[in-house]
Amino acid sequence: MIIAAFLLLTATVAFFALSIPYAVDPSRRLLSLAQLYVALITNYGLFLGLSSLHSRTISRLFLSVAVFMLIVATLEVYFGLRPFVDAVRSVIHREYYDDTTRDLALYGAVRPSVFASEPSLVGIFWGLSLCGWLLADVDRFGIRRLVVASLLTASAVFVIRSPTIFYAVTICVIGLIVDRLRRSPNPGVRLIKSVSLCACFIVVIASTSLLMHAADEFGGLIENIVNGDSFYSRQIGPYRLASSMADTSPFFGFGLGGDAEMTPYAIDAFSPVIENMIAGIDAADVDSVRGMGLNFREGKASHLLTNSFWQFWISFGILGGAIVVAIVAFALAELGVSEIGFVLLGATLMGQTMGAVVIAPAWTPLFVIAAVTVGWAHASRATKAS
């Protein structure tokens, strides 16, 4: 692990040094680099804490968190707890989401915040808790747990109203399948597992372009979803900005904190959303219209990227990103994580649901999924020993 940490430090410092000659704001890049280290160290501590617990304890812990969040969300939305929650949020957060009009227009109800700065975080971390519960103790998964998980998920979808939950359900399904396949002594079955994970990566990475093509080809509901400003700002805009990065700075991207360098390309990538914002069209369907304008005026283009997967590649580039991924994979192997491909796939899926690269929550899914799967390797060794 020390070697992996040294390699990551060396690589990121080298990327920072290479960016200085063309950096508009070197101090911002240095701050972003420091924030990245803090995020990684924080999540590494979380990993150590979780992985030191028994798998059944981890599972129960995440189930408790999921149930607690669902109870608070229900009380907030349906039993008058919202004023109290908002009062607490005003103390905790300097700025927080409070657009009930948009919630009603897009989701048909006001979404709960459960003391978070915005409702989307509730869906993200409830889904991550679902993954922790089901994947930490996979040996106990059966009909009973399937029924309970289905009821909890249905309740969360109804109360929390976040599409992020479906990403978490996908991770759980893939994880349970991977766990079954990895147990087989047949090399052919394990090959199928590896090929399937690669296929999942390809589908996830190509999903945005596939949906754009489907919208042009078939129209209808798919076109309405793709053309919606919310979907565009979360998926298509970051994808287009990543394409611009591949054309202009393919090797090491725009760099951490390279907002000034990416702003002209970001304006082009998000142009349909900006045009709708200016024209006042579908204003209820735009994620923080005022925030978008303010971010552009202040040169904070990265704040518009609510997709940490694409932002990772936009920041590090194709070569730099590949180097960082390789080092992270090596670090996970040193920490005893056996199903590294699945862990990276899970992080890729959850990365579609949130923004930023240099803040702790952006790396939390990677380290949490890694921690809950550490027990898989222990279980395999125990099975072979017996």
Side-chain angles (χ1 to χ4, degrees):
M1 184 59 195
I2 296 176
I3 297 175
F6 174 76
L7 289 175
L8 185 60
L9 176 65
T10 302
T12 50
V13 169
F15 298 158
F16 170 74
L18 289 171
S19 71
I20 292 301
Y22 61 87
V24 175
D25 189 356
S27 62
R28 185 179 182 86
R29 290 178 177 270
L30 183 59
L31 175 62
S32 297
L33 187 62
Q35 289 176 315
L36 175 64
Y37 295 149
V38 171
L40 291 173
I41 293 170
T42 301
N43 281 286
Y44 176 56
L46 175 63
F47 172 88
L48 292 178
L50 288 175
S51 59
S52 66
L53 301 175
H54 189 275
S55 59
R56 191 162 299 177
T57 302
I58 300 174
S59 180
R60 290 173 178 171
L61 174 64
F62 277 112
L63 177 60
S64 300
V65 172
V67 171
F68 173 77
M69 292 178 67
L70 188 55
I71 290 173
V72 174
T74 303
L75 292 175
E76 180 182 347
V77 174
Y78 297 105
F79 293 94
L81 193 65
R82 187 175 181 83
F84 171 73
V85 172
D86 284 344
V88 174
R89 291 170 74 204
S90 66
V91 174
I92 298 174
H93 309 287
R94 187 178 62 181
E95 297 179 0
Y96 59 89
Y97 179 96
D98 192 27
D99 194 345
T100 57
T101 302
R102 178 177 179 272
D103 284 350
L104 293 171
L106 290 182
Y107 302 98
V110 176
R111 294 182 297 164
S113 63
V114 193
F115 306 110
S117 59
E118 57 180 282
S120 62
L121 293 174
V122 182
I124 292 169
F125 287 99
W126 190 90
L128 195 58
S129 298
L130 179 72
C131 293
W133 169 46
L134 293 178
L135 298 180
D137 195 11
V138 288
D139 289 336
R140 292 174 62 84
F141 186 81
I143 297 299
R144 179 185 174 186
R145 190 164 283 206
L146 175 63
V147 172
V148 174
S150 299
L151 292 174
L152 282 175
T153 301
S155 301
V157 169
F158 178 76
V159 175
I160 298 174
R161 296 177 184 264
S162 173
T164 302
I165 294 172
F166 296 108
Y167 284 91
V169 171
T170 302
I171 294 170
C172 290
V173 172
I174 295 174
L176 292 170
I177 294 173
V178 167
D179 175 64
R180 293 299 181 267
L181 294 178
R182 74 177 181 84
R183 295 170 183 262
S184 174
N186 189 334
V189 174
R190 296 188 177 186
L191 177 62
I192 291 174
K193 181 198 71 175
S194 299
V195 172
S196 299
L197 285 175
C198 289
C200 289
F201 269 111
I202 294 172
V203 170
V204 172
I205 294 171
S207 60
T208 301
S209 58
L210 290 174
L211 282 172
M212 292 168 64
H213 176 74
D216 294 336
E217 190 74 21
F218 304 108
L221 179 61
I222 298 177
E223 184 178 15
N224 292 336
I225 293 174
V226 170
N227 290 338
D229 287 335
S230 180
F231 181 86
Y232 192 102
S233 63
R234 291 183 179 274
Q235 299 293 333
I236 299 179
Y239 168 78
R240 289 186 60 192
L241 184 55
S243 299
S244 297
M245 175 278 299
D247 291 335
T248 57
S249 304
F251 295 112
F252 298 105
F254 293 117
L256 292 172
D259 293 62
E261 290 78 10
M262 74 172 73
T263 294
Y265 304 100
I267 292 174
D268 178 66
F270 288 87
S271 57
V273 177
I274 298 170
E275 291 172 4
N276 286 349
M277 178 186 69
I278 294 174
I281 300 174
D282 294 332
D285 195 28
V286 179
D287 285 336
S288 184
V289 170
R290 289 176 303 211
M292 179 174 286
L294 179 63
N295 285 329
F296 271 123
R297 287 197 299 273
E298 294 183 355
K300 299 178 180 178
S302 62
H303 288 207
L304 305 173
L305 295 170
T306 51
N307 188 311
S308 61
F309 170 75
W310 288 117
Q311 187 174 351
F312 173 87
W313 296 100
I314 290 167
S315 299
F316 288 110
I318 298 172
L319 177 59
I323 292 172
V324 173
V325 169
I327 295 173
V328 169
F330 174 67
L332 292 175
E334 290 292 299
L335 291 170
V337 179
S338 57
E339 295 298 332
I340 296 172
F342 167 67
V343 172
L344 294 177
L345 176 63
T348 298
L349 279 165
M350 292 303 292
Q352 311 293 321
T353 67
M354 68 177 82
V357 171
V358 299
I359 62 173
W363 292 89
T364 299
L366 173 73
F367 283 88
V368 167
I369 297 172
V372 300
T373 57
V374 165
W376 294 6
H378 297 162
S380 296
R381 287 195 290 269
T383 302
K384 292 178 181 178
S386 61

